[in-house]
Amino acid sequence: MAIIEVNDLYKEYKINQKKEGVLGAIGNIFYPRYISKVAVNKINFSIEEGEAVGYIGANGAGKSTTIKMLTGILTPTSGRVLVNGNIPYKHRVKNNSIIGAVFGQRTQMWWDLPPIETYKLIQKIYDVPKKQFDENLSTFTELLDLKELIKIPVRQLSLGQKMRCEIAAAFIHDPKIVYLDEPTIGLDIMVKDKIRNFIKNINKKRSVTVILTTHDLQDIEEVCKRVIIIDNGQVVYDGKIEEIKNSLGKYRTVHFQVKNCSNNLDNVLDTQKEYLFEVSKSPYDIQVKFDRQKITASEVMNIISPYCDIMDLTIQEPSIESIVRDLYRKQVDNNDFIKENAGNCKY
Amino acid sequence: MILLKKMLAIANINIKVILVYVSAVWANVFVNILQVVILYYIWMAVYGGQTQLHGISKSQIVTYVIISRIIFINGIVSWGINQWISDIIKDGQISIEMLRPIDFQLMTYARRIGVLVFSMILYGVPVIVVSKILFGISLPATFNSGVLFIISFLLAMTINFLVEFFIGLIGFYTTNGWGLQVFKEALLSFLSGALIPIAFFPGWIRQIADFLPFKDIVYTPITIYLGNTSGEQAIKSLLFQFMWVVVLLLCTRIFYTTAIKKVTVQGG
Amino acid sequence: MLFKYIRLYIEFFKQNIKIMLEYRADFIIGAMASLFMQMSGIFFVWVIFKNVTTLQGWTFYDITLVYGLLMLSKSLNHIFFDNLWVLGPQYIRQGNFDTLLLRPISPLFHLIANRLQQDGIGNFLLGLVITVKSLYELNLNLGIKGVALIILFVVSGGAIFAAINLITATSSFWVVNSYHLIWTVYSVNEFALYPLNIYHKAIGIILTWVIPYAFASFYPANYFIHKGYEQLSFISPIVALVLWVIALRVWRFGIKNYTSTGS
C-alpha cells in the first residue's frame, strides 16, 4: 500500500475578480465574478513509504497546487488524494500529525524567539515524547550544526541559518512524510550541501518519505532517486532520475568571451559537430552546447583556444524549464532527442 | 507663483498616497460621523431643558461639535507629518533636503497644506455634508464672522503645523514615535477644545488652557464662527493667534538649528 | 481534547510572555500611550459633570461604571484576540495562513494563541480601577455573588468583542483590505461607553440586537444600578454564546472558501 496515492487529481481555480473598497467587498460576496483556470489536469501517481521524490516543473506548471492538495491546504475540484489512508483536507488533524513541511520563504518559527522555543512548542503540539524529542534535537543539532543558532532569536539569523533551523523544525516531530518546497533557494553552496546531506541521511535512516520541489537540479540529483515532472498541469515524466539525467541533464552550455578569432574557427567547429551543437557566434562571444558524457568542458576549451584569445568563460547548467521544454518537444515529435537537437545547429 | 508651483509639486506626492486607500476614506468618514453622533447626544443630554450654557446655546453646540471634529481630523490627527519629520532627520536624509533651493520648514509647511487640502476634500467634506443632513449646521453668525473665521482657521492650521514640527523635532531625540503621537493627540484634543469647549472647563484647568496656544487651534476659530467672539474681541483673538505663530516659529527655528547641528556634527 | 487545548494555550502564553520580556521598553511605552488615550476619555466625562449633576438621570459614577465595564471587556479582547486584526495582511496575504493549516490543531486556535497584545494590559488595569472605584462610590455591596457576576459579565463582554471581530476579520478570506471593515464595525463600540438611553432609540436597537456591544457595558451595569433595563442584564453570556456560534460558522465558511480557492 503506497503512502501517497493520487488518482485523476484535477484542480480548476475560479479566480475572483476582486473589487476594492467596502462596497466592492460587499459586492464580492454577493456577485462574485469568476474566471476559470485549470491548474492540475487529472494527474496520477503513487509514492511508497520511504521514497525520496523530486517534484519539478516550471513556474505555474501546477507544482505548488499539487503540493497544496497533498497537504490538505487546497481541496481538489475532482479526483482523489489519499495520504496514509486519509483524505488530507477532510481529516486535517490526522493528516497533519504525520507530516512536516518547509514552504519556501515562509517561516513556521516564532520571529522574535530563538528556534529552540519553536521546537519546544512543536513538541507540545504534536505530543512528541520528551525522550524522543531530546534525541532528535541532539541528532539534528549535530547534523545541521545548529548548536549556537538555536539560542539566537530567529529575526537575527541569516537566510542560510534560518533555513537550517527551519528544516530541523520540519523533521523534529518524526513525521512520516515531509514536503520541502524550494528548501535551498538563495543559499550558498556550503549550506545547500549541509541541507541536502541532512535530508538524504534522514530519508535513508528513518525511511521518512520526502517530496522535494526545487529549481536546483543538483538538489534532486543528490537527494532523490525518482523524479516526477509536471508541465501545464500534467505529468510529463515519472521515473528514475538517472534516466532523465542521461538523456537530458547531460547538456551544458559554455559561454566564451573572446578576442581576435581566426577565420578557421568556423571550419573547426564544423568538424566537431558531433560533440558541439547549438553554436552561436559573434566577434566577441561564442556559445556552445555540449554533451558532458562525450566531451569535457576543458576539451571544448582546447578546441577553441588555438583560434581565439579566450578572455572569460562561464558554464551553464540546464534549467528545469529547458529540460521540461525539451521533454515536451520529445513527446510531441517522438523522435530521437539528440538527433533532433543536433539538427538544430545553426552556423 | 513659482513658490506656489513648488508647493503643489511637493504636495502632489501625498495625493497619490491618500487616493490609494479608497476603503480608508469610507471607514474614516463613518468613524468620524459616529463620533459626531455620540457627542451630539451627549451634549443634548447635558443641555437637557436649558437653552444656554456658558454663553453657548444648544444649537450652537451642535455646530461646535461638527466644526471641531473637522479641525480635529484634518489638523490634530496630523497625518504622520511629525513622524515624517523625525524620520527624515534621523536617517540623515535631512542633508539632502537641505540642498534643495527651498527652506526645509517651508517645504514641510507646503506638504502639510497639501495634505490638509486633500484630507479636507476626502474626509472633511463628506463629514460636513452628512452632519448637515443629520443635525443641521448653522452658517457663520454674520458675514464678518465668516471672513474672520477663515483668517483664524488659517492661523490655527499654521499653529497646528508648528506644534507638529516641534513634536517632530522631539521625535528626533526619542525612539517611540507612535507613543509621542498618541500622547500629543490625547493632550491636544483636550487643550484645544476639540472635545469640550474651553468655556466648560472648571477653574484652574481653564486658566491653563487659556494660557497655552492649543486653544487657538480649535476653540478660537469656532467661537469666532459662532459670533461669540466678535468685533474688537475677534481682532484681538486674531492678533493673539498671530503672536503665537511668531513665538512658535522662533522656538521651532531655534530647536531646528540645534537638532540639525547635532546631525551634521555627529554625521547622523 | 479541551484539556489539550488548555495545556497548549499555556505553552503559547509562556512564549508570548518571553517575547514581552524581550521588548520591555515597547511594552511600557505602549501601555502608557493607550492608558493616556483612555484617561482623556474619562477626563471628558469628568469635565461634563463639572457642569451638570446628572445626565438623563445618570450620575458621574453610574456612567464611569458603564465606561469601566466596557474598558475591561474591550481590553480582554485587545490582549487575547488581537491577532484577528492582522489575519488578512500578515497571514492570508503573505501566505502564512498555510502554515497554520499544516498543524494538527485548530487553525483558529493557533491564530489566536499566536499573539498576546501587551498594549491592552494598561487599559485593563485602568478599567479595573475605574470599575472598582465606581462600585465603591456607588456604595454597592457586591458580595461574592456580585464579584462572580462582574467577572462573568466582563468575560462575556470580551467574548462579544472577539466574536464580532472574528466575523469581520473572516472577510479577509475574500477582501484584499479587510482592516477598514473590521475597524468600521469595531468603532460602533464607542456608543456603548455611555448609557444607551441618551441616544435615539434606533441606536439603542442597533447596539442591542445588531452589533450588541451594549451587552458588554450598559446592560451589565444595569444589574448593579437599577435604571430600568435590568431584565436584559443576564442575557450577556447568552449573547456572547450565540455570537460565537455564528462567528464560528462564518469562520468555517471562510476556511472552506480559502481551501477551494487558495487565495
Side-chain angles (χ1 to χ4, degrees):
Chain A
M1 173 71 191
I3 195 158
I4 297 178
E5 196 87 61
V6 172
N7 292 317
D8 287 331
L9 189 62
Y10 180 80
K11 179 74 195 176
E12 186 183 281
Y13 282 121
K14 284 189 171 152
I15 300 164
N16 189 353
Q17 299 286 90
K18 275 179 185 156
K19 283 160 265 176
E20 267 283 350
V22 176
L23 280 186
I26 294 164
N28 276 336
I29 293 168
F30 296 108
Y31 307 102
R33 277 185 303 175
Y34 294 117
I35 298 172
S36 302
K37 190 191 163 237
V38 178
V40 171
N41 198 354
K42 305 211 163 150
I43 60 172
N44 291 286
F45 59 80
S46 72
I47 292 169
E48 298 297 323
E49 191 162 356
E51 267 194 284
V53 179
Y55 193 65
I56 61 176
N59 286 328
K63 227 175 4 175
S64 57
T65 303
T66 316
I67 297 292
K68 280 182 173 180
M69 286 193 282
L70 292 179
T71 51
I73 292 171
L74 269 181
T75 46
T77 311
S78 70
R80 199 175 64 146
V81 182
L82 272 184
V83 176
N84 202 34
N86 298 313
I87 299 170
Y89 69 93
K90 267 194 192 151
H91 314 116
R92 190 182 300 288
V93 172
K94 242 179 171 177
N95 180 55
N96 285 352
S97 58
I98 61 146
I99 68 169
V102 171
F103 275 140
Q105 312 285 3
R106 283 162 216 163
T107 180
Q108 55 179 312
M109 294 187 290
W110 284 48
W111 193 247
D112 292 314
L113 292 173
I116 182 71
E117 302 294 346
T118 298
Y119 300 159
K120 281 188 197 156
L121 207 57
I122 290 176
Q123 183 206 347
K124 296 284 173 0
I125 292 175
Y126 291 85
D127 287 320
V128 185
K130 179 96 173 73
K131 190 164 165 264
Q132 189 187 342
F133 174 79
D134 288 342
E135 271 173 25
N136 282 353
L137 189 61
S138 71
T139 314
F140 295 178
T141 305
E142 198 187 319
L143 287 174
L144 286 164
D145 197 8
L146 301 177
K147 205 167 182 351
E148 309 299 320
L149 303 185
I150 55 173
K151 288 170 195 140
I152 302 170
V154 173
R155 71 188 131 85
Q156 291 171 17
L157 298 175
S158 73
L159 184 65
Q161 294 172 327
K162 220 178 295 170
M163 191 45 89
R164 273 148 64 195
C165 295
E166 198 82 45
I167 296 276
F171 284 90
I172 198 106
H173 53 286
D174 278 321
K176 282 186 144 180
I177 306 166
V178 173
Y179 301 92
L180 302 165
D181 188 4
E182 300 284 3
T184 60
I185 197 163
L187 304 180
D188 65 61
I189 285 292
M190 299 279 284
V191 179
K192 276 184 180 180
D193 225 44
K194 213 165 250 169
I195 289 177
R196 286 168 189 155
N197 282 333
F198 176 80
I199 299 169
K200 215 158 49 175
N201 188 309
I202 300 291
N203 167 250
K204 213 174 267 168
K205 287 202 175 132
R206 307 191 176 192
S207 65
V208 176
T209 311
V210 173
I211 317 288
L212 173 68
T213 74
T214 180
H215 270 89
D216 189 332
L217 275 185
Q218 201 86 33
D219 284 352
I220 307 264
E221 277 181 38
E222 285 193 25
V223 176
C224 307
K225 287 210 172 67
R226 175 181 165 196
V227 63
I228 298 173
I229 302 180
I230 184 168
D231 192 43
N232 267 328
Q234 285 177 313
V235 173
V236 291
Y237 179 86
D238 182 353
K240 283 192 173 135
I241 182 83
E242 279 88 16
E243 204 175 309
I244 201 135
K245 229 162 56 180
N246 291 343
S247 66
L248 304 164
K250 59 184 177 176
Y251 298 103
R252 294 286 181 274
T253 303
V254 62
H255 190 114
F256 296 100
Q257 251 185 297
V258 291
K259 236 162 90 181
N260 311 326
C261 286
S262 86
N263 293 335
N264 277 340
L265 182 65
D266 282 355
N267 298 330
V268 172
L269 287 173
D270 212 17
T271 60
Q272 300 292 332
K273 232 177 174 174
E274 205 182 323
Y275 305 111
L276 308 177
F277 28 82
E278 282 193 10
V279 177
S280 70
K281 197 171 141 287
S282 78
Y284 299 106
D285 62 44
I286 302 173
Q287 249 187 76
V288 175
K289 191 168 169 184
F290 67 95
D291 181 342
R292 67 169 166 150
Q293 286 165 342
K294 290 188 177 160
I295 189 168
T296 65
S298 65
E299 282 169 333
V300 175
M301 205 168 88
N302 288 338
I303 294 170
I304 294 175
S305 62
Y307 304 97
C308 292
D309 297 339
I310 298 175
M311 312 303 296
D312 199 1
L313 73 111
T314 50
I315 299 176
Q316 238 176 15
E317 303 217 344
S319 67
I320 299 256
E321 279 78 5
S322 73
I323 288 187
V324 172
R325 197 172 52 232
D326 290 346
L327 244 178
Y328 190 68
R329 229 188 291 169
K330 184 180 169 190
Q331 256 192 349
V332 171
D333 294 357
N334 211 9
N335 255 340
D336 183 57
F337 183 70
I338 298 168
K339 241 189 210 163
E340 193 220 3
N341 267 284
N344 269 352
C345 287
K346 41 174 185 204
Y347 57 82
Chain B
M1 199 58 215
I2 293 169
L3 188 67
L4 187 73
K5 262 189 185 163
K6 273 185 190 163
M7 282 173 138
L8 283 175
I10 295 157
N12 188 30
I13 305 163
N14 301 290
I15 306 165
K16 287 175 195 153
V17 175
I18 294 173
L19 283 178
V20 169
Y21 299 100
V22 183
S23 62
V25 175
W26 283 94
N28 238 304
V29 170
F30 177 85
V31 172
N32 282 301
I33 298 281
L34 185 138
Q35 295 292 344
V36 172
V37 171
I38 292 173
L39 284 173
Y40 169 84
Y41 282 109
I42 289 176
W43 284 114
M44 287 306 109
V46 169
Y47 273 78
Q50 286 150 299
T51 50
Q52 192 149 4
L53 282 172
H54 299 284
I56 299 173
S57 75
K58 202 172 177 176
S59 69
Q60 281 181 324
I61 197 75
V62 179
T63 305
Y64 190 99
V65 165
I66 296 164
I67 300 181
S68 67
R69 194 72 210 163
I70 299 295
I71 299 181
F72 180 80
I73 57 177
N74 292 294
I76 293 171
V77 169
S78 91
W79 299 100
I81 282 282
N82 40 25
Q83 185 69 52
W84 182 76
I85 295 166
S86 317
D87 291 347
I88 228 169
I89 302 178
K90 251 185 232 162
D91 62 23
Q93 210 198 320
I94 187 73
S95 43
I96 298 162
E97 298 293 336
M98 280 162 74
L99 293 176
R100 291 180 202 269
I102 181 168
D103 176 67
F104 176 67
Q105 196 177 22
L106 188 62
M107 190 201 77
T108 316
Y109 187 56
R111 196 185 173 94
R112 186 66 183 90
I113 299 287
V115 173
L116 177 69
V117 168
F118 283 92
S119 71
M120 208 57 156
I121 293 166
L122 290 176
Y123 304 117
V125 173
V127 172
I128 292 174
V129 171
V130 179
S131 305
K132 163 101 185 132
I133 294 164
L134 288 178
F135 309 113
I137 175 171
S138 48
L139 291 170
T142 62
F143 179 77
N144 280 349
S145 316
V147 175
L148 292 175
F149 167 73
I150 290 170
I151 299 168
S152 178
F153 175 74
L154 293 176
L155 286 166
M157 286 299 111
T158 309
I159 293 173
N160 181 59
F161 163 73
L162 290 168
V163 172
E164 278 165 5
F165 200 84
F166 201 85
I167 300 278
L169 292 174
I170 295 176
F172 166 61
Y173 293 95
T174 67
T175 48
N176 196 309
W178 176 77
L180 207 62
Q181 170 64 18
V182 168
F183 191 81
K184 184 205 124 188
E185 241 174 70
L187 198 72
L188 251 68
S189 60
F190 225 88
L191 293 173
S192 68
L195 273 178
I196 311 174
I198 308 279
F200 282 78
F201 284 13
W204 58 278
I205 301 178
R206 175 149 195 193
Q207 278 167 358
I208 294 173
D210 269 336
F211 175 73
L212 294 168
F214 308 121
K215 67 170 188 312
D216 285 334
I217 300 174
V218 177
Y219 186 66
T220 307
I222 302 183
T223 51
I224 290 175
Y225 182 95
L226 296 174
N228 290 8
T229 312
S230 60
E232 211 174 296
Q233 199 67 40
I235 301 291
K236 219 165 120 191
S237 291
L238 292 185
L239 285 174
F240 263 103
Q241 278 186 301
F242 187 72
M243 181 202 81
W244 274 117
V245 169
V246 175
V247 171
L248 288 170
L249 186 62
L250 281 174
C251 290
T252 49
R253 286 321 286 206
I254 294 167
F255 197 0
Y256 175 65
T257 320
T258 327
I260 291 298
K261 215 174 267 166
K262 203 178 163 204
V263 176
T264 45
V265 169
Q266 295 180 348
Chain C
M1 188 63 179
L2 181 70
F3 185 69
K4 184 188 172 183
Y5 275 109
I6 292 170
R7 209 158 38 90
L8 269 181
Y9 193 85
I10 294 168
E11 293 300 325
F12 277 93
F13 189 84
K14 279 193 216 157
Q15 304 298 344
N16 276 302
I17 296 290
K18 283 179 198 159
I19 293 178
M20 240 182 251
L21 294 175
E22 278 259 319
Y23 293 95
R24 239 163 301 173
D26 277 5
F27 165 60
I28 291 166
I29 291 170
M32 293 285 283
S34 53
L35 198 83
F36 197 79
M37 210 145 61
Q38 292 303 325
M39 270 162 68
S40 82
I42 277 293
F43 196 58
F44 170 73
V45 179
W46 182 75
V47 171
I48 291 285
F49 274 89
K50 287 285 151 197
N51 294 277
V52 291
T53 46
T54 62
L55 211 59
Q56 302 237 333
W58 293 66
T59 66
F60 177 63
Y61 287 110
D62 289 339
I63 287 185
T64 54
L65 180 63
V66 176
Y67 204 103
L69 284 173
L70 193 80
M71 271 183 76
L72 283 174
S73 305
K74 207 198 278 202
S75 56
L76 280 189
N77 172 58
H78 192 184
I79 295 169
F80 296 104
F81 297 90
D82 206 49
N83 229 14
L84 292 173
W85 286 91
V86 296
L87 170 66
Q90 276 183 26
Y91 286 88
I92 296 172
R93 248 17 100 208
Q94 293 182 18
N96 290 324
F97 195 71
D98 290 356
T99 323
L100 303 189
L101 285 174
L102 288 174
R103 296 283 182 220
I105 52 174
S106 146
L108 178 61
F109 169 82
H110 201 336
L111 174 74
I112 290 165
N114 255 353
R115 171 133 114 186
L116 207 62
Q117 180 49 270
Q118 51 199 24
D119 293 352
I121 295 171
N123 283 351
F124 182 82
L125 294 176
L126 184 64
L128 197 64
V129 169
I130 291 169
T131 307
V132 170
K133 171 84 174 158
S134 309
L135 289 167
Y136 175 78
E137 293 290 339
L138 290 167
N139 269 323
L140 292 169
N141 237 331
L142 292 181
I144 294 183
K145 189 187 159 207
V147 173
L149 272 175
I150 288 226
I151 294 171
L152 178 68
F153 287 148
V154 169
V155 170
S156 306
I160 288 170
F161 267 93
I164 292 170
N165 270 14
L166 177 55
I167 293 169
T168 48
T170 303
S171 71
S172 312
F173 288 115
W174 293 273
V175 186
V176 180
N177 191 347
S178 58
Y179 174 79
H180 296 108
L181 179 66
I182 305 175
W183 185 43
T184 305
V185 174
Y186 177 80
S187 67
V188 172
N189 88 74
E190 304 240 339
F191 280 113
L193 283 170
Y194 309 101
L196 278 194
N197 51 328
I198 69 168
Y199 305 116
H200 189 275
K201 262 199 201 112
I203 294 175
I205 291 169
I206 290 171
L207 268 280
T208 307
W209 303 114
V210 185
I211 311 175
Y213 286 122
F215 286 101
S217 61
F218 178 70
Y219 292 118
N222 262 287
Y223 173 80
F224 301 102
I225 39 173
H226 307 283
K227 303 279 179 191
Y229 298 88
E230 293 90 317
Q231 66 276 17
L232 284 177
S233 303
F234 281 109
I235 303 182
S236 286
I238 299 165
V239 171
L241 215 65
V242 169
L243 273 178
W244 265 93
V245 170
I246 296 170
L248 287 175
R249 293 211 156 190
V250 173
W251 169 259
R252 257 181 231 129
F253 184 61
I255 290 260
K256 217 178 144 198
N257 176 74
Y258 181 85
T259 57
S260 67
T261 61
S263 58

